[in-house]
Amino acid sequence: MTILSDIYIKKFLKEGKILISPLIDPERQIQPSSVDLRIGNEFKGFKIIKKPYIDPKDPENIDSYMESVHVEEGEAFIIHPNEFTLATTLETVKVPDNLVARVEGRSSMGRLGITMHVTAGFIDPGFEGKITLEISNIGKMPVALYPGQRACQIVFETMTSPAEKPYGHPDRDSKYMGQTKPEGSRIKQDYELRR
């Protein structure tokens, strides 16, 4: 695989092969081999519940264990040490069926102890929507997160060929396609857990 350079990122954006909208400040957001993305204003975290564990097969909706928080512009969401929250990118992203993308944390955030994705940094070809960020504070101090701040970066890589069944294909289980806010796990829809 080959990582797209800034030259090709700009070319693919101009040609409409890649969509990143709104791209508020392309001159600052487009990096040598990635595009900085910003945090949106919706966050979602786990409530304190009286259940001993989360069971992916539980008929209750996993979202019932979580609560959403809307943060106004100029306000901050405070993430405390050892806390986990979901957020979303401000930008909607569309990946063509011949590229794959991944989300990486920005070094400036990592140096504060903030990780931007735990395991799900991979974005399939054909995906369209806002990217849900899995944010953890592994540091010792609370950190303020501001809607609109650059928090992560997206890297695009070429594939050997276009995907035969890209994300969103009718034969594919694309449970996060078109998401517009932080989405909790939809693991109970996995075919092996529905048996």
Side-chain angles (χ1 to χ4, degrees):
M1 288 200 218
T2 304
I3 294 174
L4 294 189
S5 68
D6 53 356
I7 294 168
Y8 276 89
I9 291 170
K10 289 174 187 175
K11 178 180 186 306
F12 285 16
L13 284 166
K14 185 176 181 179
E15 293 172 355
K17 292 179 180 175
I18 296 172
L19 171 75
I20 301 175
S21 178
L23 189 56
I24 296 170
D25 191 354
E27 287 302 312
R28 290 193 174 139
Q29 284 181 259
I30 297 174
Q31 301 298 321
S33 60
S34 65
V35 180
D36 287 344
L37 300 179
R38 300 169 188 267
I39 296 178
N41 58 5
E42 299 291 330
F43 295 83
K44 194 173 213 175
F46 284 101
K47 302 181 218 176
I48 297 173
I49 58 173
K50 294 183 179 182
K51 295 196 175 227
Y53 56 87
I54 295 173
D55 183 349
K57 287 186 172 185
D58 190 335
E60 278 191 58
N61 187 340
I62 291 175
D63 275 345
S64 70
Y65 305 155
M66 303 185 88
E67 60 187 346
S68 295
V69 175
H70 178 85
V71 178
E72 296 296 331
E73 190 173 329
E75 300 283 316
F77 178 88
I78 308 300
I79 185 164
H80 295 271
N82 299 313
E83 207 168 48
F84 172 83
T85 191
L86 298 175
T88 188
T89 56
L90 176 68
E91 298 85 0
T92 296
V93 173
K94 183 175 181 181
V95 181
D97 64 2
N98 65 338
L99 294 179
V100 67
R102 66 175 192 265
V103 173
E104 300 289 345
R106 287 185 66 226
S107 172
S108 295
M109 299 300 289
R111 293 168 199 230
L112 298 175
I114 302 299
T115 63
M116 281 296 140
H117 64 85
V118 179
T119 61
F122 189 79
I123 304 164
D124 280 314
F127 173 82
E128 183 175 357
K130 292 182 183 276
I131 299 167
T132 294
L133 303 172
E134 302 161 349
I135 303 174
S136 294
N137 182 347
I138 60 172
K140 294 188 177 199
M141 295 290 292
V143 177
L145 303 175
Y146 292 92
Q149 85 176 90
R150 292 177 299 131
C152 61
Q153 54 195 327
I154 188 168
V155 177
F156 297 94
E157 297 181 62
T158 59
M159 298 188 353
T160 55
S161 72
E164 181 180 357
K165 294 181 182 176
Y167 200 80
H169 187 278
D171 293 342
R172 182 148 318 280
D173 184 20
S174 304
K175 51 189 176 247
Y176 302 108
M177 186 66 149
Q179 62 190 12
T180 59
K181 60 186 188 325
E183 295 290 346
S185 177
R186 294 180 180 163
I187 195 168
K188 73 178 186 177
Q189 295 176 18
D190 286 0
Y191 70 90
E192 70 274 16
L193 295 178
R194 289 186 299 209
R195 290 188 227 163

